[in-house]
């Protein structure tokens, strides 16, 4: 499960960086170039990828960092999806954030079950 979660986090991070680059240099038809999107999405993506590295040193800190970042992204884009019915990039980001959060919660539950089984309770 850890490998799947790490792949999902790296994929999510790369996706965020790619969408930030797209918003800054290749805006959608009728849209304006947004350097803020590049900085915000790029930073989020880099931090998400960094959470995988942090996990190798401190598993709890790395996973908490990842879930906080995914929740922040979800909170930022969910209203846009609800109000404007915007599929790209808001809808894609919301779906990816939910997938990441579900994987992180499932990994936590599995880890707790393994820990409980290992302690003999």
């Amino acid at each position: 499960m850890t490998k799947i979660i790490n792949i999902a986090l790296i994929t999510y991070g790369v996706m965020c960086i790619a969408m930030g680059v797209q918003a800054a240099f290749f805006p959608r038809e009728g849209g304006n170039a947004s350097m803020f999107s590049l900085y915000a999405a790029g930073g989020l993506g880099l931090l998400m990828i960094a959470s995988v590295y942090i996990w190798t040193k401190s598993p709890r800190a790395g996973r908490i960092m990842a879930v906080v970042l995914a929740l922040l992204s979800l909170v930022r884009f969910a209203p846009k999806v609800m109000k404007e019915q915007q599929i790209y990039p808001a809808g894609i980001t919301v779906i990816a954030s939910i997938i990441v959060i579900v994987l992180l919660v499932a990994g936590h539950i599995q880890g707790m079950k393994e820990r409980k089984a290992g302690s003999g309770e």
Side-chain angles (χ1 to χ4, degrees):
M1 184 80 167
T2 298
K3 192 172 188 174
I4 292 169
I5 293 171
N6 288 343
I7 290 169
L9 294 178
I10 291 168
T11 303
Y12 183 82
V14 170
M15 179 196 78
C16 288
I17 293 168
M19 286 195 295
V21 168
Q22 185 264 325
F25 300 111
F26 310 102
R28 294 180 308 152
E29 191 172 315
N32 297 325
S34 173
M35 290 308 288
F36 179 76
S37 292
L38 175 63
Y39 301 140
L44 176 73
L46 290 174
L47 287 171
M48 191 61 79
I49 293 168
S51 76
V52 175
Y53 173 75
I54 291 170
W55 174 82
T56 62
K57 306 293 181 195
S58 174
R60 179 175 288 183
R63 294 308 192 224
I64 289 172
M65 179 178 172
V67 78
V68 167
L69 290 169
L71 283 170
L72 287 172
S73 184
L74 181 64
V75 168
R76 164 65 179 94
F77 286 103
K80 221 170 185 133
V81 172
M82 298 296 187
K83 287 181 186 173
E84 300 173 21
Q85 305 294 310
Q86 189 183 68
I87 300 300
Y88 183 83
I92 302 298
T93 305
V94 166
I95 291 167
S97 297
I98 291 170
I99 290 169
V100 164
I101 292 166
V102 167
L103 284 173
L104 289 165
V105 169
H108 175 72
I109 291 169
Q110 181 182 5
M112 294 302 288
K113 284 182 181 177
E114 289 172 1
R115 188 174 301 141
K116 202 175 227 184
S119 67
E121 291 181 26

